[in-house]
């Protein structure tokens, strides 16, 4: 049950919370009964001559390294959300020092005994491939999940944006991997976990990778990477099924435009190793702003695949093909998946105090713009299931239906591949915060999975309803990490997905399975 830990305080000092890695000994701290280690290097710095290069092993150190505070995060543009009071209130972002020496990971464990062999839950943060970190949201703190589930929780930082995904492969063999080094960082972290996690009480043969939004996209990408095969055994994609990797053609076009923006040609690529990151970032921002049409007032995920931006590249080797299309990657056939989305995703009342003032005429206008020639039809289809919903709530469901459809499509692709199953969920619980305007917004399911609804009260309200649902959701993810099946005693039976019945676990005050609850409306909207 999600609750505050016993008030035993924090203990840190000589001889407390020690573990030995292959690079050397680390010291963490104890918070009540959970041992925490932060900022452990899993690979070496990526600065200077090592920019755009695959990760290298972390250098060894002598003595005991203090690992009690989060390490540096990848250089990035954090966007404008922090300037919006409501948004900043809800998310409570944790900012940190940025550095190209950012390949660090964090561990929460109930104990370091080597024979414990606890399941390992590896969190990949969101922010697309451009921003974010292992700890930029309080929701990512792994202490409660480790305690409640008796599991080892790991989170990590990796290279982002142009530092992680600038495809320089046309400019020499040295840069053959440059378009995917951000993903190779994650592979290096998984290799580190394989080699070291037993010293933290974890089982390297029971590793679950899971992530939300961009983190979910990273999970999907890892499913199709030969270098990652065998390094994880379960996978969870939360609101991240809609992202697709870039083609070699589009990634090289972006690189050409980027170099031109800097005033460089192909003979001057070496200068990219010494130019300040801010200079590079500004050039990249100028190119993407010029090449990509702005979103029409909300994130329309239908347009995401056609945008020119930095992300994994289908290069035929590191990433042989786009991992999910009509079927799932054969190399991950035996990896079961949890796949889901939230009801309102990117269209909520956050930063919009007058959202619910939308009238019927505005709803019809937006629906017509969303699907020209069929606006009235899709409004009627969505209203049929929830006739009492407000115009804004109907618009939210219409605009975010492609996110839900992408989760269904990914589950269907996994099911069609045979092998291990996929379990589909739909998070529909509505937060009471800010008069309920944020609804079931993008990211709201994260604190429920991490048993952090009280810690993240500005997202969840912190009340009893949120805690009860969190107990059920976090227990499902823990069961899945341990066994590959989310079944547990306090949750109705959750069958694997099949494309005929399309069963979804609906997470609300009273969780339950519904077969294709939105099948009819999706058939008209998407």
């Amino acid at each position: 049950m999600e609750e505050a830990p016993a008030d035993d305080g924090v203990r840190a000092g000589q001889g407390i919370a020690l573990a030995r890695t292959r690079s050397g000994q680390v010291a963490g701290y104890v918070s009540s009964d959970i041992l925490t280690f932060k900022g452990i290097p899993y690979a070496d710095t990526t600065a200077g001559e090592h920019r755009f290069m695959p990760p290298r092993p972390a250098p060894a150190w002598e003595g005991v390294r203090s690992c009690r505070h989060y390490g540096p995060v990848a250089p990035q543009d954090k966007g404008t959300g922090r300037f919006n009071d409501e948004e900043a209130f809800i998310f409570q972002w944790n900012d940190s020092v940025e550095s190209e020496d950012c390949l660090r990971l964090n561990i929460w464990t109930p104990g370091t005994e080597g024979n414990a062999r606890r399941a390992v839950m590896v969190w990949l943060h969101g922010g697309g491939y451009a921003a974010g970190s292992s700890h930029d949201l309080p929701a990512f703190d792994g202490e409660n999940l480790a305690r409640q589930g008796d599991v080892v929780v790991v989170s990590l930082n990796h290279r982002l944006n142009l530092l992680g995904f600038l495809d320089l492969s046309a400019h020499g063999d040295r840069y053959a991997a440059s378009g995917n080094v951000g993903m190779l960082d994650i592979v290096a972290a998984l290799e580190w976990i394989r080699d070291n996690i037993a010293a933290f009480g974890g089982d390297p043969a029971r590793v679950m990778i899971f992530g939300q939004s961009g983190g979910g996209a990273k999970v999907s990408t890892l499913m199709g990477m030969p270098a990652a095969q065998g390094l994880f055994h379960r996978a969870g994609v939360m609101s991240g099924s809609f992202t697709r990797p870039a083609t070699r053609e589009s990634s090289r076009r972006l690189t050409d435009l980027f170099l031109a923006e800097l005033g460089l040609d192909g003979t001057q690529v070496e200068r990219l190793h010494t130019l300040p990151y801010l200079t590079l970032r500004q050039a990249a921002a100028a190119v993407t702003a010029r090449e990509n049409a702005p979103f029409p007032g909300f994130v329309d995920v239908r347009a995401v695949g056609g945008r020119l931006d930095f992300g994994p590249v289908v290069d035929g080797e590191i990433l042989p093909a786009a991992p999910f299309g009509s079927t799932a990657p054969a190399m991950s056939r035996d990896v079961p998946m949890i796949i889901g989305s939230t009801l309102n995703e990117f269209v909520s009342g956050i930063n919009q105090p007058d959202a619910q003032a939308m009238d019927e005429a505005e709803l019809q206008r937006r629906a017509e713009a969303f699907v020209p020639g069929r606006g009235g039809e899709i409004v009627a289809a969505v209203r049929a299931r929830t006739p009492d919903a407000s115009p804004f709530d109907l618009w939210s469901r219409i605009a975010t239906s492609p996110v839900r459809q992408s989760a269904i499509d990914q589950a269907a692709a996994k099911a069609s591949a045979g092998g291990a199953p996929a379990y589909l969920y739909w998070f529909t619980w509505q937060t009471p915060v800010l008069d309920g305007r944020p609804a079931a917004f993008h990211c709201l399911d994260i604190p429920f999975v991490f048993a952090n609804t009280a810690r993240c009260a500005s997202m969840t309200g912190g009340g009893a309803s949120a805690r009860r649902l969190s107990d059920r959701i976090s227990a499902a993810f823990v069961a899945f990490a341990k066994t590959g099946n989310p079944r547990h005693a306090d949750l109705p039976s959750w069958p694997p997905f099949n494309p005929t019945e399309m069963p979804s676990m609906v997470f609300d005050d009273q969780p339950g399975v519904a077969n294709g609850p939105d099948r009819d409306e999706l058939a008209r909207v998407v």
Side-chain angles (χ1 to χ4, degrees), residues 70 88-94 108 134-144 446-447 450-453 455-459:
Y70 293 113
F89 164 72
I90 286 171
F91 287 102
Q92 301 284 317
W93 283 288
N94 297 315
W108 293 264
S134 63
H135 59 279
D136 68 340
L137 295 184
F140 301 167
D141 187 283
E143 181 178 326
N144 287 338
I446 302 172
F450 275 84
N452 278 335
T453 61
R455 181 184 181 92
C456 301
S458 62
M459 297 178 80

PDB file of all heavy atoms in Angstrom, residues 70 88-94 108 134-144 446-447 450-453 455-459:
ATOM      1  N   TYR A  70      22.249  13.025  -7.629  1.00  0.00           N
ATOM      2  CA  TYR A  70      22.098  12.822  -9.070  1.00  0.00           C
ATOM      3  C   TYR A  70      23.251  13.451  -9.836  1.00  0.00           C
ATOM      4  O   TYR A  70      23.714  14.544  -9.530  1.00  0.00           O
ATOM      5  CB  TYR A  70      20.796  13.449  -9.554  1.00  0.00           C
ATOM      6  CG  TYR A  70      19.548  12.771  -9.046  1.00  0.00           C
ATOM      7  CD1 TYR A  70      18.686  13.433  -8.169  1.00  0.00           C
ATOM      8  CD2 TYR A  70      19.218  11.484  -9.448  1.00  0.00           C
ATOM      9  CE1 TYR A  70      17.527  12.821  -7.711  1.00  0.00           C
ATOM     10  CE2 TYR A  70      18.064  10.860  -8.993  1.00  0.00           C
ATOM     11  CZ  TYR A  70      17.221  11.538  -8.126  1.00  0.00           C
ATOM     12  OH  TYR A  70      16.080  10.927  -7.672  1.00  0.00           O
ATOM     13  N   ALA A  88       4.049  24.461 -14.435  1.00  0.00           N
ATOM     14  CA  ALA A  88       5.174  24.285 -13.517  1.00  0.00           C
ATOM     15  C   ALA A  88       4.708  23.800 -12.151  1.00  0.00           C
ATOM     16  O   ALA A  88       5.386  22.996 -11.496  1.00  0.00           O
ATOM     17  CB  ALA A  88       5.945  25.595 -13.379  1.00  0.00           C
ATOM     18  N   PHE A  89       3.539  24.273 -11.703  1.00  0.00           N
ATOM     19  CA  PHE A  89       2.974  23.808 -10.439  1.00  0.00           C
ATOM     20  C   PHE A  89       2.683  22.315 -10.492  1.00  0.00           C
ATOM     21  O   PHE A  89       2.993  21.559  -9.554  1.00  0.00           O
ATOM     22  CB  PHE A  89       1.687  24.579 -10.132  1.00  0.00           C
ATOM     23  CG  PHE A  89       0.825  23.943  -9.078  1.00  0.00           C
ATOM     24  CD1 PHE A  89       1.192  23.953  -7.745  1.00  0.00           C
ATOM     25  CD2 PHE A  89      -0.367  23.310  -9.428  1.00  0.00           C
ATOM     26  CE1 PHE A  89       0.394  23.357  -6.779  1.00  0.00           C
ATOM     27  CE2 PHE A  89      -1.165  22.712  -8.475  1.00  0.00           C
ATOM     28  CZ  PHE A  89      -0.789  22.736  -7.136  1.00  0.00           C
ATOM     29  N   ILE A  90       2.095  21.850 -11.582  1.00  0.00           N
ATOM     30  CA  ILE A  90       1.723  20.439 -11.701  1.00  0.00           C
ATOM     31  C   ILE A  90       2.959  19.545 -11.750  1.00  0.00           C
ATOM     32  O   ILE A  90       3.064  18.557 -11.014  1.00  0.00           O
ATOM     33  CB  ILE A  90       0.848  20.221 -12.950  1.00  0.00           C
ATOM     34  CG1 ILE A  90      -0.560  20.777 -12.693  1.00  0.00           C
ATOM     35  CG2 ILE A  90       0.766  18.739 -13.318  1.00  0.00           C
ATOM     36  CD1 ILE A  90      -1.433  20.805 -13.923  1.00  0.00           C
ATOM     37  N   PHE A  91       3.925  19.900 -12.576  1.00  0.00           N
ATOM     38  CA  PHE A  91       5.041  18.986 -12.823  1.00  0.00           C
ATOM     39  C   PHE A  91       6.175  19.128 -11.820  1.00  0.00           C
ATOM     40  O   PHE A  91       6.907  18.161 -11.594  1.00  0.00           O
ATOM     41  CB  PHE A  91       5.552  19.172 -14.251  1.00  0.00           C
ATOM     42  CG  PHE A  91       4.622  18.613 -15.289  1.00  0.00           C
ATOM     43  CD1 PHE A  91       3.786  19.448 -16.016  1.00  0.00           C
ATOM     44  CD2 PHE A  91       4.546  17.254 -15.513  1.00  0.00           C
ATOM     45  CE1 PHE A  91       2.914  18.941 -16.960  1.00  0.00           C
ATOM     46  CE2 PHE A  91       3.680  16.718 -16.457  1.00  0.00           C
ATOM     47  CZ  PHE A  91       2.854  17.577 -17.180  1.00  0.00           C
ATOM     48  N   GLN A  92       6.380  20.297 -11.248  1.00  0.00           N
ATOM     49  CA  GLN A  92       7.424  20.467 -10.228  1.00  0.00           C
ATOM     50  C   GLN A  92       8.782  19.963 -10.719  1.00  0.00           C
ATOM     51  O   GLN A  92       9.450  19.164 -10.062  1.00  0.00           O
ATOM     52  CB  GLN A  92       7.028  19.731  -8.936  1.00  0.00           C
ATOM     53  CG  GLN A  92       5.734  20.186  -8.308  1.00  0.00           C
ATOM     54  CD  GLN A  92       5.852  21.509  -7.571  1.00  0.00           C
ATOM     55  OE1 GLN A  92       6.805  21.731  -6.859  1.00  0.00           O
ATOM     56  NE2 GLN A  92       4.864  22.375  -7.755  1.00  0.00           N
ATOM     57  N   TRP A  93       9.220  20.451 -11.882  1.00  0.00           N
ATOM     58  CA  TRP A  93      10.458  19.960 -12.475  1.00  0.00           C
ATOM     59  C   TRP A  93      11.663  20.150 -11.557  1.00  0.00           C
ATOM     60  O   TRP A  93      11.798  21.163 -10.872  1.00  0.00           O
ATOM     61  CB  TRP A  93      10.729  20.684 -13.793  1.00  0.00           C
ATOM     62  CG  TRP A  93       9.895  20.215 -14.929  1.00  0.00           C
ATOM     63  CD1 TRP A  93      10.010  19.026 -15.599  1.00  0.00           C
ATOM     64  CD2 TRP A  93       8.810  20.915 -15.551  1.00  0.00           C
ATOM     65  NE1 TRP A  93       9.074  18.953 -16.604  1.00  0.00           N
ATOM     66  CE2 TRP A  93       8.322  20.104 -16.593  1.00  0.00           C
ATOM     67  CE3 TRP A  93       8.204  22.163 -15.337  1.00  0.00           C
ATOM     68  CZ2 TRP A  93       7.265  20.476 -17.415  1.00  0.00           C
ATOM     69  CZ3 TRP A  93       7.153  22.549 -16.150  1.00  0.00           C
ATOM     70  CH2 TRP A  93       6.688  21.714 -17.178  1.00  0.00           C
ATOM     71  N   ASN A  94      12.542  19.166 -11.571  1.00  0.00           N
ATOM     72  CA  ASN A  94      13.834  19.254 -10.899  1.00  0.00           C
ATOM     73  C   ASN A  94      14.882  19.588 -11.954  1.00  0.00           C
ATOM     74  O   ASN A  94      15.120  18.796 -12.867  1.00  0.00           O
ATOM     75  CB  ASN A  94      14.219  17.911 -10.255  1.00  0.00           C
ATOM     76  CG  ASN A  94      13.263  17.491  -9.164  1.00  0.00           C
ATOM     77  OD1 ASN A  94      12.890  18.294  -8.323  1.00  0.00           O
ATOM     78  ND2 ASN A  94      12.863  16.228  -9.168  1.00  0.00           N
ATOM     79  N   TRP A 108      17.792   2.276  -6.647  1.00  0.00           N
ATOM     80  CA  TRP A 108      17.118   2.132  -5.366  1.00  0.00           C
ATOM     81  C   TRP A 108      16.926   0.637  -5.131  1.00  0.00           C
ATOM     82  O   TRP A 108      16.422  -0.073  -6.011  1.00  0.00           O
ATOM     83  CB  TRP A 108      15.752   2.813  -5.384  1.00  0.00           C
ATOM     84  CG  TRP A 108      15.785   4.302  -5.506  1.00  0.00           C
ATOM     85  CD1 TRP A 108      15.722   5.212  -4.492  1.00  0.00           C
ATOM     86  CD2 TRP A 108      15.850   5.077  -6.709  1.00  0.00           C
ATOM     87  NE1 TRP A 108      15.757   6.499  -4.986  1.00  0.00           N
ATOM     88  CE2 TRP A 108      15.838   6.450  -6.344  1.00  0.00           C
ATOM     89  CE3 TRP A 108      15.916   4.757  -8.070  1.00  0.00           C
ATOM     90  CZ2 TRP A 108      15.881   7.470  -7.281  1.00  0.00           C
ATOM     91  CZ3 TRP A 108      15.979   5.770  -9.014  1.00  0.00           C
ATOM     92  CH2 TRP A 108      15.954   7.121  -8.602  1.00  0.00           C
ATOM     93  N   SER A 134      16.814  11.578 -15.940  1.00  0.00           N
ATOM     94  CA  SER A 134      16.386  10.504 -15.040  1.00  0.00           C
ATOM     95  C   SER A 134      15.643  11.015 -13.826  1.00  0.00           C
ATOM     96  O   SER A 134      14.966  10.252 -13.145  1.00  0.00           O
ATOM     97  CB  SER A 134      17.609   9.712 -14.575  1.00  0.00           C
ATOM     98  OG  SER A 134      18.491  10.546 -13.820  1.00  0.00           O
ATOM     99  N   HIS A 135      15.761  12.318 -13.536  1.00  0.00           N
ATOM    100  CA  HIS A 135      15.180  12.830 -12.301  1.00  0.00           C
ATOM    101  C   HIS A 135      14.491  14.173 -12.483  1.00  0.00           C
ATOM    102  O   HIS A 135      14.295  14.909 -11.523  1.00  0.00           O
ATOM    103  CB  HIS A 135      16.264  12.954 -11.212  1.00  0.00           C
ATOM    104  CG  HIS A 135      17.404  13.854 -11.572  1.00  0.00           C
ATOM    105  ND1 HIS A 135      18.451  13.448 -12.365  1.00  0.00           N
ATOM    106  CD2 HIS A 135      17.672  15.146 -11.257  1.00  0.00           C
ATOM    107  CE1 HIS A 135      19.308  14.439 -12.499  1.00  0.00           C
ATOM    108  NE2 HIS A 135      18.847  15.485 -11.839  1.00  0.00           N
ATOM    109  N   ASP A 136      14.083  14.517 -13.732  1.00  0.00           N
ATOM    110  CA  ASP A 136      13.517  15.854 -13.899  1.00  0.00           C
ATOM    111  C   ASP A 136      12.105  15.970 -13.342  1.00  0.00           C
ATOM    112  O   ASP A 136      11.621  17.083 -13.129  1.00  0.00           O
ATOM    113  CB  ASP A 136      13.599  16.338 -15.351  1.00  0.00           C
ATOM    114  CG  ASP A 136      12.713  15.569 -16.318  1.00  0.00           C
ATOM    115  OD1 ASP A 136      12.312  14.442 -15.988  1.00  0.00           O
ATOM    116  OD2 ASP A 136      12.448  16.098 -17.411  1.00  0.00           O
ATOM    117  N   LEU A 137      11.441  14.863 -13.057  1.00  0.00           N
ATOM    118  CA  LEU A 137      10.151  14.897 -12.364  1.00  0.00           C
ATOM    119  C   LEU A 137      10.263  14.158 -11.027  1.00  0.00           C
ATOM    120  O   LEU A 137      10.864  13.080 -10.963  1.00  0.00           O
ATOM    121  CB  LEU A 137       9.053  14.239 -13.193  1.00  0.00           C
ATOM    122  CG  LEU A 137       8.662  14.898 -14.518  1.00  0.00           C
ATOM    123  CD1 LEU A 137       7.489  14.149 -15.138  1.00  0.00           C
ATOM    124  CD2 LEU A 137       8.325  16.363 -14.335  1.00  0.00           C
ATOM    125  N   PRO A 138       9.658  14.687  -9.965  1.00  0.00           N
ATOM    126  CA  PRO A 138       9.629  13.957  -8.693  1.00  0.00           C
ATOM    127  C   PRO A 138       8.985  12.582  -8.835  1.00  0.00           C
ATOM    128  O   PRO A 138       9.298  11.670  -8.060  1.00  0.00           O
ATOM    129  CB  PRO A 138       8.808  14.874  -7.777  1.00  0.00           C
ATOM    130  CG  PRO A 138       8.960  16.238  -8.359  1.00  0.00           C
ATOM    131  CD  PRO A 138       9.058  16.040  -9.842  1.00  0.00           C
ATOM    132  N   ALA A 139       8.111  12.429  -9.824  1.00  0.00           N
ATOM    133  CA  ALA A 139       7.443  11.146 -10.043  1.00  0.00           C
ATOM    134  C   ALA A 139       8.418  10.017 -10.317  1.00  0.00           C
ATOM    135  O   ALA A 139       8.092   8.843 -10.098  1.00  0.00           O
ATOM    136  CB  ALA A 139       6.458  11.269 -11.211  1.00  0.00           C
ATOM    137  N   PHE A 140       9.638  10.327 -10.790  1.00  0.00           N
ATOM    138  CA  PHE A 140      10.601   9.296 -11.164  1.00  0.00           C
ATOM    139  C   PHE A 140      11.363   8.720  -9.975  1.00  0.00           C
ATOM    140  O   PHE A 140      12.139   7.779 -10.160  1.00  0.00           O
ATOM    141  CB  PHE A 140      11.631   9.852 -12.156  1.00  0.00           C
ATOM    142  CG  PHE A 140      11.089  10.397 -13.445  1.00  0.00           C
ATOM    143  CD1 PHE A 140      11.912  11.158 -14.271  1.00  0.00           C
ATOM    144  CD2 PHE A 140       9.783  10.170 -13.847  1.00  0.00           C
ATOM    145  CE1 PHE A 140      11.440  11.672 -15.472  1.00  0.00           C
ATOM    146  CE2 PHE A 140       9.290  10.678 -15.048  1.00  0.00           C
ATOM    147  CZ  PHE A 140      10.136  11.437 -15.863  1.00  0.00           C
ATOM    148  N   ASP A 141      11.200   9.283  -8.797  1.00  0.00           N
ATOM    149  CA  ASP A 141      11.936   8.774  -7.639  1.00  0.00           C
ATOM    150  C   ASP A 141      11.541   7.317  -7.380  1.00  0.00           C
ATOM    151  O   ASP A 141      10.362   6.980  -7.265  1.00  0.00           O
ATOM    152  CB  ASP A 141      11.617   9.626  -6.412  1.00  0.00           C
ATOM    153  CG  ASP A 141      12.475   9.250  -5.223  1.00  0.00           C
ATOM    154  OD1 ASP A 141      12.188   8.209  -4.587  1.00  0.00           O
ATOM    155  OD2 ASP A 141      13.427   9.981  -4.906  1.00  0.00           O
ATOM    156  N   GLY A 142      12.547   6.444  -7.274  1.00  0.00           N
ATOM    157  CA  GLY A 142      12.273   5.010  -7.201  1.00  0.00           C
ATOM    158  C   GLY A 142      12.155   4.414  -5.822  1.00  0.00           C
ATOM    159  O   GLY A 142      11.959   3.203  -5.682  1.00  0.00           O
ATOM    160  N   GLU A 143      12.248   5.240  -4.772  1.00  0.00           N
ATOM    161  CA  GLU A 143      12.292   4.679  -3.420  1.00  0.00           C
ATOM    162  C   GLU A 143      11.014   3.917  -3.073  1.00  0.00           C
ATOM    163  O   GLU A 143      11.064   2.781  -2.575  1.00  0.00           O
ATOM    164  CB  GLU A 143      12.528   5.793  -2.406  1.00  0.00           C
ATOM    165  CG  GLU A 143      12.605   5.288  -0.969  1.00  0.00           C
ATOM    166  CD  GLU A 143      12.885   6.395   0.036  1.00  0.00           C
ATOM    167  OE1 GLU A 143      13.625   7.346  -0.307  1.00  0.00           O
ATOM    168  OE2 GLU A 143      12.368   6.295   1.172  1.00  0.00           O
ATOM    169  N   ASN A 144       9.849   4.530  -3.280  1.00  0.00           N
ATOM    170  CA  ASN A 144       8.601   3.868  -2.902  1.00  0.00           C
ATOM    171  C   ASN A 144       8.350   2.606  -3.711  1.00  0.00           C
ATOM    172  O   ASN A 144       7.856   1.604  -3.185  1.00  0.00           O
ATOM    173  CB  ASN A 144       7.427   4.835  -3.059  1.00  0.00           C
ATOM    174  CG  ASN A 144       7.394   5.898  -1.981  1.00  0.00           C
ATOM    175  OD1 ASN A 144       7.966   5.724  -0.911  1.00  0.00           O
ATOM    176  ND2 ASN A 144       6.746   7.012  -2.269  1.00  0.00           N
ATOM    177  N   ILE A 446       2.386   8.255 -14.510  1.00  0.00           N
ATOM    178  CA  ILE A 446       3.723   7.948 -13.980  1.00  0.00           C
ATOM    179  C   ILE A 446       3.737   7.834 -12.458  1.00  0.00           C
ATOM    180  O   ILE A 446       4.249   6.841 -11.919  1.00  0.00           O
ATOM    181  CB  ILE A 446       4.758   8.988 -14.451  1.00  0.00           C
ATOM    182  CG1 ILE A 446       4.821   9.042 -15.969  1.00  0.00           C
ATOM    183  CG2 ILE A 446       6.136   8.653 -13.881  1.00  0.00           C
ATOM    184  CD1 ILE A 446       5.685  10.175 -16.502  1.00  0.00           C
ATOM    185  N   PRO A 447       3.235   8.821 -11.688  1.00  0.00           N
ATOM    186  CA  PRO A 447       3.297   8.666 -10.228  1.00  0.00           C
ATOM    187  C   PRO A 447       2.507   7.472  -9.708  1.00  0.00           C
ATOM    188  O   PRO A 447       2.824   6.951  -8.636  1.00  0.00           O
ATOM    189  CB  PRO A 447       2.730   9.989  -9.702  1.00  0.00           C
ATOM    190  CG  PRO A 447       1.947  10.559 -10.825  1.00  0.00           C
ATOM    191  CD  PRO A 447       2.644  10.114 -12.072  1.00  0.00           C
ATOM    192  N   PHE A 450       4.894   4.498 -10.056  1.00  0.00           N
ATOM    193  CA  PHE A 450       6.002   4.596  -9.114  1.00  0.00           C
ATOM    194  C   PHE A 450       5.552   4.667  -7.651  1.00  0.00           C
ATOM    195  O   PHE A 450       6.392   4.854  -6.764  1.00  0.00           O
ATOM    196  CB  PHE A 450       6.841   5.835  -9.429  1.00  0.00           C
ATOM    197  CG  PHE A 450       7.890   5.617 -10.489  1.00  0.00           C
ATOM    198  CD1 PHE A 450       7.560   5.711 -11.835  1.00  0.00           C
ATOM    199  CD2 PHE A 450       9.191   5.308 -10.150  1.00  0.00           C
ATOM    200  CE1 PHE A 450       8.519   5.516 -12.814  1.00  0.00           C
ATOM    201  CE2 PHE A 450      10.161   5.115 -11.117  1.00  0.00           C
ATOM    202  CZ  PHE A 450       9.823   5.213 -12.464  1.00  0.00           C
ATOM    203  N   ALA A 451       4.251   4.517  -7.378  1.00  0.00           N
ATOM    204  CA  ALA A 451       3.730   4.621  -6.001  1.00  0.00           C
ATOM    205  C   ALA A 451       4.081   5.968  -5.382  1.00  0.00           C
ATOM    206  O   ALA A 451       4.424   6.068  -4.206  1.00  0.00           O
ATOM    207  CB  ALA A 451       4.249   3.468  -5.127  1.00  0.00           C
ATOM    208  N   ASN A 452       3.966   7.016  -6.186  1.00  0.00           N
ATOM    209  CA  ASN A 452       4.362   8.356  -5.757  1.00  0.00           C
ATOM    210  C   ASN A 452       3.213   9.356  -5.814  1.00  0.00           C
ATOM    211  O   ASN A 452       3.441  10.553  -5.991  1.00  0.00           O
ATOM    212  CB  ASN A 452       5.518   8.871  -6.632  1.00  0.00           C
ATOM    213  CG  ASN A 452       6.870   8.344  -6.192  1.00  0.00           C
ATOM    214  OD1 ASN A 452       7.069   7.989  -5.035  1.00  0.00           O
ATOM    215  ND2 ASN A 452       7.808   8.287  -7.119  1.00  0.00           N
ATOM    216  N   THR A 453       1.967   8.920  -5.650  1.00  0.00           N
ATOM    217  CA  THR A 453       0.865   9.878  -5.773  1.00  0.00           C
ATOM    218  C   THR A 453       0.866  10.892  -4.636  1.00  0.00           C
ATOM    219  O   THR A 453       0.466  12.049  -4.836  1.00  0.00           O
ATOM    220  CB  THR A 453      -0.495   9.172  -5.825  1.00  0.00           C
ATOM    221  OG1 THR A 453      -0.709   8.425  -4.621  1.00  0.00           O
ATOM    222  CG2 THR A 453      -0.586   8.245  -7.027  1.00  0.00           C
ATOM    223  N   ARG A 455       3.689  11.903  -3.021  1.00  0.00           N
ATOM    224  CA  ARG A 455       4.858  12.732  -3.312  1.00  0.00           C
ATOM    225  C   ARG A 455       4.549  13.725  -4.421  1.00  0.00           C
ATOM    226  O   ARG A 455       5.095  14.837  -4.443  1.00  0.00           O
ATOM    227  CB  ARG A 455       6.033  11.834  -3.722  1.00  0.00           C
ATOM    228  CG  ARG A 455       7.314  12.579  -4.028  1.00  0.00           C
ATOM    229  CD  ARG A 455       8.393  11.613  -4.511  1.00  0.00           C
ATOM    230  NE  ARG A 455       9.638  12.307  -4.783  1.00  0.00           N
ATOM    231  CZ  ARG A 455      10.631  12.483  -3.916  1.00  0.00           C
ATOM    232  NH1 ARG A 455      10.492  12.010  -2.692  1.00  0.00           N
ATOM    233  NH2 ARG A 455      11.723  13.120  -4.261  1.00  0.00           N
ATOM    234  N   CYS A 456       3.678  13.347  -5.350  1.00  0.00           N
ATOM    235  CA  CYS A 456       3.322  14.175  -6.504  1.00  0.00           C
ATOM    236  C   CYS A 456       1.892  14.679  -6.373  1.00  0.00           C
ATOM    237  O   CYS A 456       1.099  14.620  -7.328  1.00  0.00           O
ATOM    238  CB  CYS A 456       3.491  13.372  -7.789  1.00  0.00           C
ATOM    239  SG  CYS A 456       5.172  12.765  -8.041  1.00  0.00           S
ATOM    240  N   ALA A 457       1.564  15.213  -5.206  1.00  0.00           N
ATOM    241  CA  ALA A 457       0.196  15.656  -4.952  1.00  0.00           C
ATOM    242  C   ALA A 457      -0.231  16.784  -5.884  1.00  0.00           C
ATOM    243  O   ALA A 457      -1.428  16.931  -6.161  1.00  0.00           O
ATOM    244  CB  ALA A 457       0.046  16.087  -3.492  1.00  0.00           C
ATOM    245  N   SER A 458       0.701  17.577  -6.388  1.00  0.00           N
ATOM    246  CA  SER A 458       0.320  18.635  -7.319  1.00  0.00           C
ATOM    247  C   SER A 458      -0.151  18.062  -8.656  1.00  0.00           C
ATOM    248  O   SER A 458      -0.806  18.757  -9.433  1.00  0.00           O
ATOM    249  CB  SER A 458       1.486  19.599  -7.541  1.00  0.00           C
ATOM    250  OG  SER A 458       2.593  18.933  -8.120  1.00  0.00           O
ATOM    251  N   MET A 459       0.178  16.795  -8.929  1.00  0.00           N
ATOM    252  CA  MET A 459      -0.331  16.118 -10.115  1.00  0.00           C
ATOM    253  C   MET A 459      -1.609  15.350  -9.817  1.00  0.00           C
ATOM    254  O   MET A 459      -2.541  15.348 -10.621  1.00  0.00           O
ATOM    255  CB  MET A 459       0.714  15.129 -10.662  1.00  0.00           C
ATOM    256  CG  MET A 459       2.003  15.743 -11.149  1.00  0.00           C
ATOM    257  SD  MET A 459       3.207  14.495 -11.721  1.00  0.00           S
ATOM    258  CE  MET A 459       2.583  14.135 -13.367  1.00  0.00           C
TER     259      MET A 459
END
